[in-house]
Amino acid sequence: MIPESLARLVEETRGQRRAEWAGREVWLANEAWGQLAVSLQGAQVLHYLPAPEAASAAGAAPAGDPAANDMLSDGWLWVTPTPQALPGAIRGGIPLCWPWFADENTADESTDRSGPMHGPARKAPWRLDAVDEHEEGVELHLSPEERLHGQLVPRAVIQANARRLHVELITEHVGETPVKITGALHSYLAVADAFACRVEGLTGATYLDKLADFAERDQQGELGVRGALDRIYRSNAELCLDDGTRRLRIARQGSDSAVVWHPGEAPPGDTSIEAARHFLCVESANTRLDPVWLVPGAQHLLGTTLSREESATP
């Protein structure tokens, strides 16, 4: 579910190209396997839509499955219809939160801790280093145009085909002293109605409730979304988002924290209450529950994989 102006750019694309949207350079693909849009501000995936025919041929779902067709109609990601002007960040898609999550600047405790919310990566310009085409899809490699940290170097890998979208945020330590990092792939998933959603796979997991001063609680039953929500779950389980019309599988790599967030009836200033009802954030993250210590020469991979749940065979 993306703004009409961006959807039009994607639809007008044949193959691959670069274009400008909302003052940013974006990379677009509209091919036999499906559609992809990536902003070079923040290496941020804005749109992913597998082609129904390609998805069916790949065995993802029966061609006549109504739920599958609904899911494929608007894309799997949500982007605000009123994005901020530069140098602000775009709300939606999959922002990269690096090298810290939220306002917890843990990346270098010896320096100023007043950095931007979610770190500098999501607003920084990134370069497209390589586009590898495969028979079934595409793989992008991106890196920041400028150094974002004294000892750490990030890079992003985005893989898209008719079956799944996979995003990796890889951090390499090129310095001389250990560094603690947090971060997230802050996925805004498109839903019919956020307050009718259920997130499966978290039953029994412990979580921190950020709306209750980080009180620690246990999840009783499956998570139903009925209003404002901001929770950090201690879990590395595969999750499933069910909004009543679609079921989306969310697998995570290098993450023992699952963040589930929705602002309820008080959305941020860059989107309306009505528009906000059509997303739910379910994030692959490293948080205060599972910060990552990197030693010189080490790497860490934080990943998320979105795929449609395959229909059961009758």
Side-chain angles (χ1 to χ4, degrees):
M1 189 174 299
I2 59 175
E4 182 179 347
S5 57
L6 179 57
R8 187 165 54 250
L9 278 180
V10 176
E11 290 293 338
E12 292 171 351
T13 299
R14 297 294 177 266
Q16 303 171 8
R17 66 167 175 148
R18 297 193 189 207
E20 183 177 303
W21 179 74
R24 286 98 170 162
E25 185 177 6
V26 293
W27 183 91
L28 307 171
N30 188 2
E31 302 187 296
W33 57 263
Q35 300 175 350
L36 183 67
V38 178
S39 170
L40 296 188
Q41 183 201 25
Q44 183 172 344
V45 179
L46 301 177
H47 173 65
Y48 166 68
L49 175 65
E53 297 82 2
S56 177
D65 187 338
N69 292 336
D70 176 78
M71 182 168 213
L72 290 168
S73 62
D74 295 319
W76 296 10
L77 302 173
W78 174 95
V79 172
T80 180
T82 52
Q84 299 181 59
L86 290 171
I90 297 173
R91 184 173 303 281
I94 306 181
L96 307 184
C97 303
W98 183 93
W100 59 83
F101 170 71
D103 57 357
E104 300 175 14
N105 186 345
T106 61
D108 190 340
E109 298 186 353
S110 66
T111 61
D112 181 16
R113 295 169 60 88
S114 62
M117 177 76 110
H118 291 315
R122 67 191 187 118
K123 292 185 179 181
W126 289 58
R127 67 172 65 89
L128 185 57
D129 296 321
V131 177
D132 296 331
E133 296 188 65
H134 306 285
E135 182 177 350
E136 297 182 348
V138 69
E139 178 174 298
L140 309 182
H141 294 256
L142 303 100
S143 61
E145 290 186 359
E146 299 179 354
R147 193 71 176 264
L148 300 180
H149 187 276
Q151 299 197 85
L152 305 176
V153 176
R155 55 190 173 92
V157 178
I158 301 165
Q159 300 171 342
N161 58 37
R163 297 183 304 276
R164 66 171 193 159
L165 171 67
H166 176 70
V167 179
E168 297 177 355
L169 178 58
I170 302 165
T171 303
E172 181 181 3
H173 192 317
V174 297
E176 298 180 351
T177 59
V179 177
K180 182 171 69 172
I181 64 172
T182 57
L185 300 172
H186 199 319
S187 306
Y188 286 75
L189 305 177
V191 297
D193 183 352
F195 303 143
C197 289
R198 184 172 68 170
V199 180
E200 301 173 3
L202 293 170
T203 300
T206 299
Y207 68 88
L208 301 180
D209 190 342
K210 295 180 70 175
L211 300 183
D213 197 26
F214 290 91
E216 184 173 314
R217 295 170 177 163
D218 294 326
Q219 178 64 39
Q220 304 297 320
E222 303 291 3
L223 171 61
V225 181
R226 300 296 178 264
L229 195 69
D230 197 353
R231 299 179 180 179
I232 304 173
Y233 284 86
R234 187 187 297 276
S235 171
N236 59 11
E238 181 175 290
L239 307 178
C240 180
L241 171 60
D242 187 341
D243 76 345
T245 66
R246 61 188 76 182
R247 291 176 61 82
L248 191 66
R249 287 286 176 186
I250 306 158
R252 294 171 293 121
Q253 300 82 38
S255 163
D256 288 323
S257 290
V259 177
V260 183
W261 175 73
H262 192 276
E265 299 293 341
D270 56 3
T271 194
S272 66
I273 292 177
E274 177 56 32
R277 291 185 73 98
H278 297 295
F279 78 78
L280 181 68
C281 288
V282 183
E283 310 169 34
S284 176
N286 298 120
T287 69
R288 61 174 60 188
L289 293 179
D290 63 329
V292 175
W293 276 99
L294 283 179
V295 297
Q299 292 188 355
H300 175 69
L301 185 154
L302 177 65
T304 192
T305 305
L306 305 179
S307 60
R308 184 177 49 251
E309 182 177 77
E310 296 186 17
S311 299
T313 302

